[in-house]
Amino acid sequence: MAFTENASEKPVAVGVDTHLDSHVAVAVDDLGRRLGEMHVPTNVAGYAKLLGWAEKLGEPATFGIEGAGCFGAGLSRFLRKAGAEVLEAGRPKRRDQHRSGKSDPIDAELAARAVLAGTAPGGAKDTEGTVEMIRVLRVARRSAVKARAQAAKQLKGMRITAPGNLRDDLRGLSTAKLVHRTAGFRPGDRPGDLVRLTKPPVGYDGAMPKPLVPDELWAVAEPLLPKEPPKPKGGRPRVDGRATLTGILFVLKTGITWEMLPQEMGCGSGMTCWRRLKEWHEAGVWERLHRALLDRLGEADRIDWGRASLDSAAVPAPGGAKRRAPIRRIAANRARSATLWSTGTVSRSR
């Protein structure tokens, strides 16, 4: 008596050869017979079409994806969320390609047969959640480190070929100090001068952001800063005031913590800038700088008094307010706790 097995109950292995714009899938049954081939685009509609096609061929369907962590990452995520089993098929071996040829359907069929034979490397890479977040951060950090190293090499190379006066001015500077020093260079108005031609590529150009402490602001702020205290016993040299002011403004503008201040800016550590901020606040630097800048804006007639407002933090309130009665403070001695009294001192009253 012959029994016919329902096609929907047969286990199916689906191999997928992934590409940038389209995927090629080939399905085989548990006996290795080829069941069909499908080409789908790399979007959600194509993924859903592929999953529906595989479910009609048999249950349960196991997918072997070649390049599940690259071109097949989107398909792998979609299939896992749908509850399908996804394996990393790996690249076909050269001996298999030599026997059967090389094409997208053949590669997909080889991936399906690897799943069926149990030779697939294992589960597909997880490309979502914490793992994907860490991978993206590492990629961004690795590219930033490479770009930083390349920029430092180019900067030092330009220093070697710079004119004599400019080369002597930059000689012996560390990478951080060299970056901070050259960031203030400006393109000149004399294109025939070699020094002025060298400064913009080495330091500043029109595409770079303007410095946080331009020369005009520093000319006003420098006379207001307290003098450096003497160091009878020596010690490390004090960080330059302009560099420290740049670090303070950078932290206040970006909102980062003081510990995250980049050392490459040449502004000292975040704690150095924080201590200088506190020191200048106690010396009244910020109030004097505020008034000096307002005076300069007033002299240049750049203040719109029609929109001016008074801040109670800068203008004291008028007197005459009634003083509140002083609050009576509680004595420092605490009341004795009944739970700590000895039995001999307990009251005899009943």
Side-chain angles (χ1 to χ4, degrees), residues 178 203 218 236 318:
L178 182 62
W218 180 241
R236 293 184 300 177

mmCIF file of all heavy atoms in Angstrom, residues 178 203 218 236 318:
data_model
loop_
_atom_site.group_PDB
_atom_site.id
_atom_site.type_symbol
_atom_site.label_atom_id
_atom_site.label_comp_id
_atom_site.label_asym_id
_atom_site.label_seq_id
_atom_site.Cartn_x
_atom_site.Cartn_y
_atom_site.Cartn_z
ATOM 1 N N LEU A 178 50.882 70.782 18.378
ATOM 2 C CA LEU A 178 50.970 71.153 16.967
ATOM 3 C C LEU A 178 49.578 71.386 16.383
ATOM 4 O O LEU A 178 49.359 72.347 15.637
ATOM 5 C CB LEU A 178 51.690 70.048 16.193
ATOM 6 C CG LEU A 178 51.911 70.293 14.699
ATOM 7 C CD1 LEU A 178 52.799 71.510 14.475
ATOM 8 C CD2 LEU A 178 52.538 69.058 14.055
ATOM 9 N N GLY A 203 46.811 74.291 8.756
ATOM 10 C CA GLY A 203 45.884 74.578 9.841
ATOM 11 C C GLY A 203 44.495 74.872 9.378
ATOM 12 O O GLY A 203 43.744 73.991 8.991
ATOM 13 N N TRP A 218 39.774 87.351 22.697
ATOM 14 C CA TRP A 218 40.920 87.179 23.573
ATOM 15 C C TRP A 218 41.560 88.519 23.934
ATOM 16 O O TRP A 218 42.076 88.695 25.046
ATOM 17 C CB TRP A 218 41.947 86.263 22.917
ATOM 18 C CG TRP A 218 43.164 86.029 23.750
ATOM 19 C CD1 TRP A 218 44.443 86.343 23.447
ATOM 20 C CD2 TRP A 218 43.205 85.423 25.046
ATOM 21 N NE1 TRP A 218 45.289 85.983 24.451
ATOM 22 C CE2 TRP A 218 44.555 85.403 25.454
ATOM 23 C CE3 TRP A 218 42.246 84.893 25.894
ATOM 24 C CZ2 TRP A 218 44.961 84.885 26.676
ATOM 25 C CZ3 TRP A 218 42.640 84.367 27.110
ATOM 26 C CH2 TRP A 218 43.984 84.362 27.499
ATOM 27 N N ARG A 236 55.074 71.936 37.171
ATOM 28 C CA ARG A 236 54.732 71.935 35.750
ATOM 29 C C ARG A 236 54.271 73.318 35.303
ATOM 30 O O ARG A 236 53.665 74.057 36.087
ATOM 31 C CB ARG A 236 53.639 70.915 35.468
ATOM 32 C CG ARG A 236 54.077 69.475 35.671
ATOM 33 C CD ARG A 236 52.966 68.525 35.263
ATOM 34 N NE ARG A 236 51.756 68.736 36.040
ATOM 35 C CZ ARG A 236 50.631 68.068 35.838
ATOM 36 N NH1 ARG A 236 50.571 67.165 34.868
ATOM 37 N NH2 ARG A 236 49.573 68.309 36.592
ATOM 38 N N PRO A 318 15.174 96.164 44.456
ATOM 39 C CA PRO A 318 15.097 97.342 45.355
ATOM 40 C C PRO A 318 14.867 96.915 46.801
ATOM 41 O O PRO A 318 14.240 95.900 47.085
ATOM 42 C CB PRO A 318 13.896 98.121 44.799
ATOM 43 C CG PRO A 318 13.080 97.098 44.069
ATOM 44 C CD PRO A 318 14.058 96.128 43.515
#
